[in-house]
Amino acid sequence: MRTEPGIWGKKWRQLAVAAIGLGVAGCNVSASDSNAAAPNASQLGPAPTDTATPITTPLPDSLALTPVAPLPALPDSVRQAVQLLHKQLGPEAADLRPEVLERACVGYLALRQEGRIQQGGVLAVADMDLPSSEKRLWVLDLRQGRVLYRSHVAHGRGSGRLRARRFSNTIKSACTALGFYRTQDTYGGSHGLSRRLRGLDKGQNDNALRRYVVLHAADYVSRQHLQRHGQVGYSRGCPALPPDQYRAIIQSLPEGSCLLLAGPGLESKWLDGTAAAARQLAARGWR
C-alpha cells in the first residue's frame, strides 16, 4: 500500500513563515495518551494516567533540521546498498534523509547479525527531527525496495511542541526515547489494537516496556486534528499513529521487527556495528 506525500508539512511551513514574519502567536493544541497496559501489567507496575494538557506555542518552532553526518568507517558495500535502496524507494521516501536511512539500515543489519531482530526484510524508521506536521514515519519493504506505509507519528509532550527537542528514557518523563526497538506482542487496550515495544539501547530506551511505550492509534494524530491545529498532538512518549492507518502499520511490523526512532543526539551501540552490518549484508542481503 502506498501513501501520498503529506500536504500538512508544506502547509505548516507556509504558516510558520507567515507567522514569524508577522510576529503572531502559534496555535494552541492539546492531547492526551493513557498508554494502556499490556495483559501482564501486574508484573510491570500500574499504568500511568494522563489528562489533556493544553500547550501554547508563542511562535512556530524553527524548521531547520539538525545536520546528520554520514557514519564513519562504513564499508563501501553497505553505503552503496543503502544509496541504491533509497533510490528504489522513490518519491515516497524523498523526505527520508539518506543519513537517517543509513543509520536505520546499519542498525537493522547489525541487529539481524546478532539475532536481536527475527523478522527480516521490513524496517520502520521515524525521523523525529522533522516537525510533527509532516509524515515522518516510514515502513519499508527492504527486499522489494518500496515504501509500505508512510504516516504521521506523535512524539511525547515532554519532548517539545512542533519539533521534538528533548528525549528521555526516564519513567514519567512523557518524552520520546530515541534508539532501536524490537516489536513485541499485540493486545487490545483503550486505544484498540496496540503493539508493545522493547528498547534495545541500554540507558537510551530500555525502559520502554516499563513506560508502556507502544504503537497505538490516537485521535490527536488524525486528519481532523491536523486540519484544526496544523500539527499532531502529543503522547506520553508513545509513537502514536493515525486512526485510519494504525492497524495496517501495526500488522506490517510483526513481533521481532525493527523500528528506529531517530532524532538529534541519537546514540546507539548498533551504529558502531558497521563490520557486522557488512557481514550480514554480504551473507543474506536485506533478508
Side-chain angles (χ1 to χ4, degrees):
M1 172 180 176
R2 295 178 178 267
T3 56
E4 296 179 358
I7 61 173
W8 302 110
K10 298 176 182 177
K11 178 179 178 181
W12 180 260
R13 289 195 188 97
Q14 297 171 351
L15 293 174
V17 171
I20 292 173
L22 296 175
V24 299
C27 61
N28 298 329
V29 298
S30 64
S32 65
D33 174 21
S34 59
N35 288 359
N40 63 346
S42 60
Q43 300 173 9
L44 298 175
T49 58
D50 192 21
T51 56
T53 303
I55 300 179
T56 302
T57 307
L59 284 174
D61 295 340
S62 167
L63 295 179
L65 298 181
T66 305
V68 179
L71 288 173
L74 183 63
D76 288 341
S77 60
V78 179
R79 180 158 284 136
Q80 291 169 4
V82 175
Q83 291 172 348
L84 177 60
L85 173 64
H86 193 267
K87 182 177 180 181
Q88 291 173 330
L89 294 174
E92 290 175 284
D95 293 331
L96 176 53
R97 292 182 286 173
E99 298 82 4
V100 174
L101 178 61
E102 181 178 89
R103 279 163 165 71
C105 289
V106 167
Y108 161 82
L109 290 168
L111 286 162
R112 286 285 286 156
Q113 177 74 9
E114 293 293 322
R116 300 296 299 274
I117 294 296
Q118 292 74 40
Q119 287 291 335
V122 62
L123 170 63
V125 53
D127 186 354
M128 291 300 192
D129 196 29
L130 290 168
S132 68
S133 53
E134 298 197 18
K135 292 184 176 181
R136 54 183 178 170
L137 170 69
W138 291 263
V139 181
L140 309 177
D141 181 335
L142 299 177
R143 300 181 207 183
Q144 298 296 321
R146 64 191 183 100
V147 177
L148 295 176
Y149 300 99
R150 182 183 178 189
S151 80
H152 292 90
V153 62
H155 57 250
R157 70 174 184 234
S159 288
R161 294 183 169 86
L162 176 65
R163 303 283 298 286
R165 284 290 178 264
R166 298 174 297 279
F167 304 94
S168 177
N169 190 38
T170 303
I171 295 173
K172 296 185 179 180
S173 66
C175 286
T176 293
L178 302 180
F180 288 91
Y181 292 81
R182 178 191 185 277
T183 59
Q184 299 287 106
D185 58 310
T186 59
Y187 65 95
S190 60
H191 298 285
L193 179 68
S194 304
R195 186 177 291 283
R196 292 193 289 177
L197 299 172
R198 179 182 294 275
L200 301 177
D201 284 297
K202 187 175 181 180
Q204 298 293 315
N205 65 3
D206 58 345
N207 278 332
L209 287 174
R210 288 184 288 273
R211 294 180 63 204
Y212 302 91
V213 174
V214 303
L215 292 172
H216 67 77
D219 290 340
Y220 51 82
V221 196
S222 66
R223 180 178 294 270
Q224 293 77 12
H225 189 99
L226 280 157
Q227 289 175 334
R228 182 176 180 183
H229 299 290
Q231 66 176 89
V232 304
Y234 311 96
S235 71
R236 300 189 77 254
C238 293
L241 302 169
D244 61 343
Q245 289 184 283
Y246 83 101
R247 183 173 292 274
I249 290 174
I250 286 175
Q251 291 175 341
S252 74
L253 296 169
E255 185 170 358
S257 299
C258 183
L259 163 68
L260 171 63
L261 299 185
L266 170 66
E267 295 181 3
S268 173
K269 75 171 188 176
W270 306 108
L271 297 180
D272 298 329
T274 54
R279 290 194 298 271
Q280 174 70 19
L281 183 66
R284 303 192 64 188
W286 294 117
R287 299 194 303 275

mmCIF file of all heavy atoms in Angstrom, residues 21-46:
data_model
loop_
_atom_site.group_PDB
_atom_site.id
_atom_site.type_symbol
_atom_site.label_atom_id
_atom_site.label_comp_id
_atom_site.label_asym_id
_atom_site.label_seq_id
_atom_site.Cartn_x
_atom_site.Cartn_y
_atom_site.Cartn_z
ATOM 1 N N GLY A 21 7.150 36.107 10.226
ATOM 2 C CA GLY A 21 7.256 37.417 9.608
ATOM 3 C C GLY A 21 6.357 38.441 10.261
ATOM 4 O O GLY A 21 6.679 39.624 10.347
ATOM 5 N N LEU A 22 5.184 38.029 10.713
ATOM 6 C CA LEU A 22 4.222 38.965 11.273
ATOM 7 C C LEU A 22 4.298 39.039 12.788
ATOM 8 O O LEU A 22 3.687 39.924 13.393
ATOM 9 C CB LEU A 22 2.801 38.542 10.858
ATOM 10 C CG LEU A 22 2.514 38.589 9.359
ATOM 11 C CD1 LEU A 22 1.120 38.033 9.088
ATOM 12 C CD2 LEU A 22 2.616 40.013 8.836
ATOM 13 N N GLY A 23 5.031 38.071 13.416
ATOM 14 C CA GLY A 23 5.142 38.082 14.866
ATOM 15 C C GLY A 23 3.866 37.671 15.558
ATOM 16 O O GLY A 23 3.575 38.113 16.664
ATOM 17 N N VAL A 24 3.045 36.821 14.930
ATOM 18 C CA VAL A 24 1.796 36.402 15.546
ATOM 19 C C VAL A 24 2.013 35.125 16.316
ATOM 20 O O VAL A 24 2.994 34.416 16.139
ATOM 21 C CB VAL A 24 0.697 36.189 14.474
ATOM 22 C CG1 VAL A 24 0.440 37.469 13.737
ATOM 23 C CG2 VAL A 24 1.086 35.077 13.507
ATOM 24 N N ALA A 25 1.075 34.787 17.207
ATOM 25 C CA ALA A 25 1.218 33.594 18.030
ATOM 26 C C ALA A 25 0.794 32.364 17.263
ATOM 27 O O ALA A 25 -0.046 32.410 16.379
ATOM 28 C CB ALA A 25 0.359 33.740 19.289
ATOM 29 N N GLY A 26 1.414 31.225 17.651
ATOM 30 C CA GLY A 26 1.038 29.964 17.048
ATOM 31 C C GLY A 26 -0.246 29.451 17.667
ATOM 32 O O GLY A 26 -0.788 30.019 18.613
ATOM 33 N N CYS A 27 -0.722 28.315 17.144
ATOM 34 C CA CYS A 27 -1.997 27.775 17.606
ATOM 35 C C CYS A 27 -1.836 27.050 18.931
ATOM 36 O O CYS A 27 -0.761 26.582 19.266
ATOM 37 C CB CYS A 27 -2.567 26.839 16.546
ATOM 38 S SG CYS A 27 -1.516 25.433 16.177
ATOM 39 N N ASN A 28 -2.942 26.947 19.668
ATOM 40 C CA ASN A 28 -2.974 26.173 20.895
ATOM 41 C C ASN A 28 -3.384 24.753 20.561
ATOM 42 O O ASN A 28 -4.309 24.541 19.806
ATOM 43 C CB ASN A 28 -3.998 26.758 21.885
ATOM 44 C CG ASN A 28 -3.638 28.164 22.286
ATOM 45 O OD1 ASN A 28 -2.467 28.505 22.334
ATOM 46 N ND2 ASN A 28 -4.631 28.972 22.577
ATOM 47 N N VAL A 29 -2.695 23.755 21.141
ATOM 48 C CA VAL A 29 -3.044 22.364 20.904
ATOM 49 C C VAL A 29 -3.046 21.629 22.225
ATOM 50 O O VAL A 29 -2.433 22.036 23.189
ATOM 51 C CB VAL A 29 -2.048 21.679 19.933
ATOM 52 C CG1 VAL A 29 -2.082 22.341 18.591
ATOM 53 C CG2 VAL A 29 -0.629 21.711 20.494
ATOM 54 N N SER A 30 -3.762 20.533 22.258
ATOM 55 C CA SER A 30 -3.755 19.687 23.448
ATOM 56 C C SER A 30 -3.927 18.255 23.020
ATOM 57 O O SER A 30 -4.445 17.959 21.950
ATOM 58 C CB SER A 30 -4.887 20.078 24.405
ATOM 59 O OG SER A 30 -6.144 19.855 23.798
ATOM 60 N N ALA A 31 -3.471 17.334 23.883
ATOM 61 C CA ALA A 31 -3.615 15.916 23.589
ATOM 62 C C ALA A 31 -3.441 15.133 24.864
ATOM 63 O O ALA A 31 -2.872 15.607 25.828
ATOM 64 C CB ALA A 31 -2.556 15.470 22.566
ATOM 65 N N SER A 32 -3.942 13.904 24.858
ATOM 66 C CA SER A 32 -3.728 13.005 25.987
ATOM 67 C C SER A 32 -3.476 11.613 25.478
ATOM 68 O O SER A 32 -3.888 11.253 24.387
ATOM 69 C CB SER A 32 -4.943 13.007 26.920
ATOM 70 O OG SER A 32 -6.063 12.480 26.254
ATOM 71 N N ASP A 33 -2.793 10.817 26.295
ATOM 72 C CA ASP A 33 -2.459 9.452 25.911
ATOM 73 C C ASP A 33 -2.389 8.613 27.171
ATOM 74 O O ASP A 33 -1.479 8.751 27.952
ATOM 75 C CB ASP A 33 -1.102 9.433 25.187
ATOM 76 C CG ASP A 33 -0.635 8.028 24.905
ATOM 77 O OD1 ASP A 33 -1.489 7.127 24.889
ATOM 78 O OD2 ASP A 33 0.571 7.850 24.705
ATOM 79 N N SER A 34 -3.383 7.750 27.388
ATOM 80 C CA SER A 34 -3.396 6.947 28.600
ATOM 81 C C SER A 34 -2.459 5.752 28.528
ATOM 82 O O SER A 34 -2.176 5.120 29.531
ATOM 83 C CB SER A 34 -4.821 6.443 28.885
ATOM 84 O OG SER A 34 -5.288 5.683 27.796
ATOM 85 N N ASN A 35 -1.948 5.438 27.318
ATOM 86 C CA ASN A 35 -0.994 4.348 27.147
ATOM 87 C C ASN A 35 -1.411 3.099 27.922
ATOM 88 O O ASN A 35 -0.839 2.740 28.941
ATOM 89 C CB ASN A 35 0.414 4.767 27.606
ATOM 90 C CG ASN A 35 1.031 5.740 26.638
ATOM 91 O OD1 ASN A 35 0.411 6.084 25.633
ATOM 92 N ND2 ASN A 35 2.226 6.192 26.930
ATOM 93 N N ALA A 36 -2.408 2.417 27.425
ATOM 94 C CA ALA A 36 -2.968 1.260 28.130
ATOM 95 C C ALA A 36 -1.916 0.204 28.400
ATOM 96 O O ALA A 36 -0.997 -0.004 27.624
ATOM 97 C CB ALA A 36 -4.085 0.650 27.284
ATOM 98 N N ALA A 37 -2.074 -0.479 29.516
ATOM 99 C CA ALA A 37 -1.117 -1.505 29.901
ATOM 100 C C ALA A 37 -1.347 -2.772 29.105
ATOM 101 O O ALA A 37 -2.432 -3.045 28.620
ATOM 102 C CB ALA A 37 -1.258 -1.809 31.393
ATOM 103 N N ALA A 38 -0.301 -3.593 28.988
ATOM 104 C CA ALA A 38 -0.404 -4.886 28.341
ATOM 105 C C ALA A 38 -1.071 -5.873 29.289
ATOM 106 O O ALA A 38 -1.237 -5.587 30.466
ATOM 107 C CB ALA A 38 0.996 -5.368 27.951
ATOM 108 N N PRO A 39 -1.440 -7.062 28.808
ATOM 109 C CA PRO A 39 -2.143 -8.016 29.656
ATOM 110 C C PRO A 39 -1.396 -8.383 30.930
ATOM 111 O O PRO A 39 -1.998 -8.710 31.933
ATOM 112 C CB PRO A 39 -2.295 -9.237 28.730
ATOM 113 C CG PRO A 39 -2.338 -8.650 27.369
ATOM 114 C CD PRO A 39 -1.401 -7.491 27.415
ATOM 115 N N ASN A 40 -0.037 -8.366 30.930
ATOM 116 C CA ASN A 40 0.708 -8.702 32.125
ATOM 117 C C ASN A 40 1.126 -7.460 32.894
ATOM 118 O O ASN A 40 2.207 -7.400 33.461
ATOM 119 C CB ASN A 40 1.940 -9.542 31.780
ATOM 120 C CG ASN A 40 2.916 -8.776 30.895
ATOM 121 O OD1 ASN A 40 2.572 -7.750 30.339
ATOM 122 N ND2 ASN A 40 4.120 -9.299 30.771
ATOM 123 N N ALA A 41 0.258 -6.468 32.909
ATOM 124 C CA ALA A 41 0.593 -5.197 33.546
ATOM 125 C C ALA A 41 0.901 -5.368 35.022
ATOM 126 O O ALA A 41 1.644 -4.567 35.594
ATOM 127 C CB ALA A 41 -0.574 -4.224 33.387
ATOM 128 N N SER A 42 0.359 -6.400 35.686
ATOM 129 C CA SER A 42 0.613 -6.585 37.106
ATOM 130 C C SER A 42 2.092 -6.842 37.371
ATOM 131 O O SER A 42 2.589 -6.573 38.460
ATOM 132 C CB SER A 42 -0.221 -7.755 37.634
ATOM 133 O OG SER A 42 0.113 -8.954 36.951
ATOM 134 N N GLN A 43 2.788 -7.353 36.372
ATOM 135 C CA GLN A 43 4.210 -7.607 36.528
ATOM 136 C C GLN A 43 5.039 -6.358 36.248
ATOM 137 O O GLN A 43 6.193 -6.284 36.645
ATOM 138 C CB GLN A 43 4.657 -8.734 35.591
ATOM 139 C CG GLN A 43 3.927 -10.051 35.845
ATOM 140 C CD GLN A 43 4.278 -11.079 34.793
ATOM 141 O OE1 GLN A 43 5.173 -10.874 33.977
ATOM 142 N NE2 GLN A 43 3.572 -12.198 34.824
ATOM 143 N N LEU A 44 4.477 -5.414 35.535
ATOM 144 C CA LEU A 44 5.213 -4.221 35.150
ATOM 145 C C LEU A 44 4.918 -3.039 36.049
ATOM 146 O O LEU A 44 5.621 -2.042 36.001
ATOM 147 C CB LEU A 44 4.864 -3.839 33.697
ATOM 148 C CG LEU A 44 5.214 -4.872 32.637
ATOM 149 C CD1 LEU A 44 4.704 -4.420 31.289
ATOM 150 C CD2 LEU A 44 6.714 -5.098 32.590
ATOM 151 N N GLY A 45 3.884 -3.120 36.870
ATOM 152 C CA GLY A 45 3.505 -1.984 37.688
ATOM 153 C C GLY A 45 2.299 -1.301 37.080
ATOM 154 O O GLY A 45 1.903 -1.581 35.945
ATOM 155 N N PRO A 46 1.681 -0.372 37.819
ATOM 156 C CA PRO A 46 0.474 0.291 37.333
ATOM 157 C C PRO A 46 0.758 1.167 36.128
ATOM 158 O O PRO A 46 1.811 1.787 36.029
ATOM 159 C CB PRO A 46 0.031 1.126 38.544
ATOM 160 C CG PRO A 46 1.287 1.347 39.321
ATOM 161 C CD PRO A 46 2.094 0.106 39.145
#
